[in-house]
Amino acid sequence: WERTSVKTGKMYEIFQTPIRNQDNSISSLMILHDITQHKHRENELRDREQRFQAITGSVFDAIVLINHTGEIVFWNAAGERIFGWSCSEAIGKNVHELLAPSRFHAAALTGLEEFNLSGQGNAVGKITELTAVRKNGEEFLIELSLSSFRMHDHWFASGVVRDITERQKLYEAIRQSELRFRQVTDNAEEWIWEVDQDGLYTYSSSAVQNILGYSIDEVVGKKYFYDFFLPEEREKFKELAFSEFAEKRSFSHFINRNMRKDGAIVTIDSSGVAVIDQQGEMIGYRGVDKDITERLQAEDERLRLFTAIEQAAASVLITSPDGTIEYVNPAFEKITGYTIDEVFGKNPKLLQSGKHDKAFYEDLWKTISGGNVWTGRIINRRKDGSLVYEEGAISPVRDVNGNIVNYVQVTQDITKEVELQNQLVQAQKLEAIGTLAGGIAHDFNNIIFAITGFTELAMMDLPADSRARSNMERVMQAAQRSGDMVKQILAFSRRGHGEVLSLDLTPLVKEGLKFLRGAIPSTIELRQSIEPNLDKIQGDAIKIHQVLMNLCINASHAIKDAKGTIAVELSQMGLGPDFTEKNPPLVPGKYVRLRVSDTGSGIAPEIMHKIFDPYFTTKEAGKGTGLGLSVVQDIVRSHNGAITLNSEVGKGSTFDVFFPVIEEQRPQVDEKPVADVTPTGKEHILVVDDESHLLEMYERQLKRLGYEVTCSTNPEEVLELFLTDPLKFDLVITDFTMPNMTGIDLATELGSIRPGLPIILCSGVSQVVSDSATKQAGIQTVIYKPLRRPEIAQAIRKALDQKP
């Protein structure tokens, strides 16, 4: 074993063996071997190895070690990144066969033989560009630096590989850029030039010939840029160029007069920047000169620009350096409601909405006063107090000396876009709520189905006059009420089954008001007044339910937290042409009127005409459903109806919705309700549902009806059972939502095994089951949870009696 001396710090390797003494006693012989140096060398070697691994693993270049046979014996992480081969894939492979295109293999073998003889070769000791191949077969350029060393009587090569694909692309891009630069400069009307720090021209484009009449050879290396200035201006610009410009190291532009070779005077607009070398030293200037002698042309251009600003749809505002408004265009007046006379000489602060904090405006001012352009979105307030969302930029305007003389704000009115975005967000929230409600409704339907089923079984075993049966009937009533509530949730979340049918609005409104009672504050009284024997209308129950819900919820928002009343009336009336002509698409005739009145705050007359606009709302952000009265109006119009509004500020609002009735002959005598029919049978039924308690209920119910019943919670087991005996069952009842396999998928598989097999699909949510999908799967009947025993019995009998 190994031990370290506490006193000396040395490490020892200890060997111990027993020795028998002459008197037969046992002693121990211990041999201590000092291994301190050995351990130090071991630790040093391990440290070196770790440093080597850290270095080779962190470099960007591939490091490859090759033995005398050409096999790879070391491969770092960069090799994997560059070539695509992992270390385990590369070690032991021939470097040329792995990394070189096949056309170079023969030359590589020759080079390897030469290397083995002398440790030298064409690539050793120099940097070489070669073509390599990646794991995916892609060829690319590398830069190889190769060195050799001898170990164990053999030569080894150590290579550093760098992927120079991007560098080659850069070289090519530079070449193309230079080519484009020359093409641009040679064809540009402006004179592009460069001078050194003394002002001597080092580059000139060919446009100098057109502007000043000199050839390139007459300018480059022979002329100073101030040589072309007028004599009276030469010293001024020379001093400016090598004092002020040298101090600032940049300039935007200046206008000066130059003398052409033929003696003519031209006015030049010159712009440029200082040229700085890698050490930060200024080595000259680079600029562009444009002949602007034709001032009339420039004046015409300015006139056209002004006309464009006056006619632009974007708002333009110009201020002085201290922020005083000097100009606004007609678009500004239209967007804000302020005329130029009302804002001239004032500060843009009059537009502030209070929706931005102090830091927002401080940052804006800091940006533009520092000479930079501010871009972004700002909320302002119009003259009428409403908010306007604007997006654009505020830019500083400089004179020829670089001083800020104006600020220009150019913005677009994006209020409609913002409102549309808010509507989209609200719609997405409703969609998420609808999805959640649908999922909850599915689970509740399963629970209610179990409650009603087992309750029916219990009631069948109790005497008709017993108190227990009476209690169970109460349970059944509560379960049925719960089922109705689930239907309301599905309708509200728009996941229910919507069809255009002949509708009696009386039960629909009554059920809707029951649902609303839990959705509005208890401080609000909910009244209803419904005339008896109303005619039916043609409509979609779910959409009409949404109309009622939206009007009542809006009414509750109008009342807010105060006490108040919402009155819902349902009546029938005849409408004449005096009314219908003012409310298209109504025509004279009989209508069912749904009236929703509230004692809320009312609607101001100035916004009454906007109340049905698509994006109009009087609610704060985050309040309301996000649907708006425009959706209510669309639904009503799609039913060939109309909606009207009467409102008075402080007294409340009344919405009247008119639906045309359909002419249906009423029965002459009272029809007695048809008693529930519960047919029976003796066939063999297979029930598939992932809820075991529902299977237990199915089994008890169906056996009482006379059927033989087999139950399963596993669709895969059912398929195996059918493959064994396809004719064993007369009917299959399957749940729609099950793990691993839906009811439609199971029906499709069973139909492929036994075509024509009667199948009933049972679902907790109607909207997710499409008629085309069930028909394609061979499903005869779809029933929806929760349902009563007679409904199950009738559905089973119908499916069995209609089988081929």
Side-chain angles (χ1 to χ4, degrees), residues 314-335:
S315 168
V316 179
L317 179 148
I318 301 176
T319 73
S320 63
D322 63 358
T324 302
I325 297 176
E326 296 181 347
Y327 169 81
V328 295
N329 71 338
F332 172 91
E333 296 178 326
K334 181 179 179 182
I335 292 172

Side-chain angles (χ1 to χ4, degrees), residues 514-717:
K514 290 178 183 178
F515 184 76
L516 271 166
R517 182 64 274 174
I520 62 177
S522 59
T523 55
I524 298 176
E525 181 184 358
L526 193 59
R527 297 177 182 173
Q528 65 177 18
S529 175
I530 300 177
E531 289 184 4
N533 301 318
L534 296 175
D535 286 334
K536 293 184 178 181
I537 71 164
Q538 194 81 12
D540 183 335
I542 291 176
K543 290 184 177 180
I544 294 176
H545 174 84
Q546 289 177 342
V547 170
L548 175 64
M549 295 293 293
N550 211 336
L551 290 177
C552 290
I553 290 175
N554 279 347
S556 71
H557 289 161
I559 298 173
K560 297 183 179 178
D561 299 328
K563 291 184 178 181
T565 302
I566 298 175
V568 178
E569 302 176 28
L570 201 59
S571 59
Q572 187 165 315
M573 61 180 59
L575 299 178
D578 292 343
F579 183 84
T580 58
E581 287 177 2
K582 298 177 182 177
N583 297 278
L586 300 184
V587 295
K590 290 194 296 183
Y591 289 83
V592 173
R593 182 187 70 182
L594 170 65
R595 168 171 284 182
V596 178
S597 304
D598 65 72
T599 58
S601 57
I603 301 171
E606 61 267 19
I607 64 171
M608 192 84 75
H609 66 287
K610 299 181 180 180
I611 204 72
F612 293 107
D613 288 353
Y615 306 119
F616 182 80
T617 180
T618 58
K619 300 182 180 69
E620 298 177 3
K623 298 293 183 67
T625 64
L627 295 176
L629 289 170
S630 64
V631 175
V632 172
Q633 187 179 61
D634 288 343
I635 293 174
V636 173
R637 286 179 175 175
S638 70
H639 287 72
N640 297 317
I643 181 171
T644 63
L645 165 65
N646 288 293
S647 183
E648 186 175 348
V649 175
K651 294 187 177 181
S653 304
T654 297
F655 289 88
D656 285 332
V657 183
F658 299 92
F659 295 105
V661 304
I662 54 176
E663 298 297 333
E664 287 188 343
Q665 186 175 2
R666 292 185 177 275
Q668 299 299 317
V669 296
D670 292 335
E671 294 182 351
K672 296 182 179 179
V674 179
D676 287 342
V677 178
T678 310
T680 60
K682 297 182 179 180
E683 290 86 348
H684 193 172
I685 299 176
L686 171 63
V687 184
V688 188
D689 198 302
D690 61 318
E691 300 280 353
S692 57
H693 61 279
L694 290 183
L695 290 179
E696 181 182 354
M697 183 269 295
Y698 271 122
E699 184 175 16
R700 293 185 185 181
Q701 291 271 28
L702 298 183
K703 283 185 176 180
R704 289 209 176 201
L705 293 173
Y707 296 104
E708 182 181 353
V709 184
T710 299
C711 296
S712 175
T713 59
N714 191 327
E716 287 86 353
E717 290 180 356

Side-chain angles (χ1 to χ4, degrees), residues 414-462:
I414 59 166
T415 306
K416 293 296 183 184
E417 289 81 351
V418 171
E419 291 173 348
L420 180 62
Q421 179 67 27
N422 292 337
Q423 294 288 336
L424 175 62
V425 171
Q426 291 295 337
Q428 290 171 338
K429 290 180 181 178
L430 285 178
E431 183 180 357
I433 292 172
T435 301
L436 176 62
I440 294 173
H442 175 268
D443 293 338
F444 267 112
N445 277 334
N446 276 339
I447 296 171
I448 296 168
F449 189 24
I451 293 173
T452 57
F454 283 112
T455 302
E456 285 179 318
L457 289 170
M459 291 171 63
M460 294 168 64
D461 295 332
L462 295 171

Side-chain angles (χ1 to χ4, degrees), residues 64-74 112 115-116 118-120 124 146-159:
V64 184
L65 189 61
I66 309 158
N67 66 14
H68 66 286
T69 64
E71 291 181 353
I72 298 172
V73 296
F74 177 79
L112 181 61
F115 174 78
N116 284 333
S118 61
Q120 298 297 318
V124 176
L146 200 64
S147 61
S148 62
F149 62 92
R150 194 169 181 82
M151 185 172 63
H152 304 306
D153 295 329
H154 290 293
W155 286 102
F156 286 77
S158 173

Side-chain angles (χ1 to χ4, degrees), residues 43 45 87 106 112 136 210 244-245 297 338 399 430 481 485 534 615 646 652 686 761 773:
N43 293 336
L45 245 132
C87 183
L112 181 61
N136 61 9
N210 297 327
E244 184 177 346
F245 287 172
Q297 178 183 353
Y338 289 101
D399 61 14
L430 285 178
R481 176 71 184 128
M485 291 297 292
L534 296 175
Y615 306 119
N646 288 293
L686 171 63
L761 181 70

Side-chain angles (χ1 to χ4, degrees), residues 348-375:
K349 289 181 180 180
L350 65 88
L351 300 172
Q352 290 184 4
S353 62
K355 297 297 182 180
H356 301 291
D357 57 18
K358 183 179 179 181
F360 173 85
Y361 294 106
E362 288 178 348
D363 177 69
L364 186 155
W365 180 251
K366 181 179 179 181
T367 300
I368 62 176
S369 62
N372 299 311
V373 177
W374 179 90
T375 59

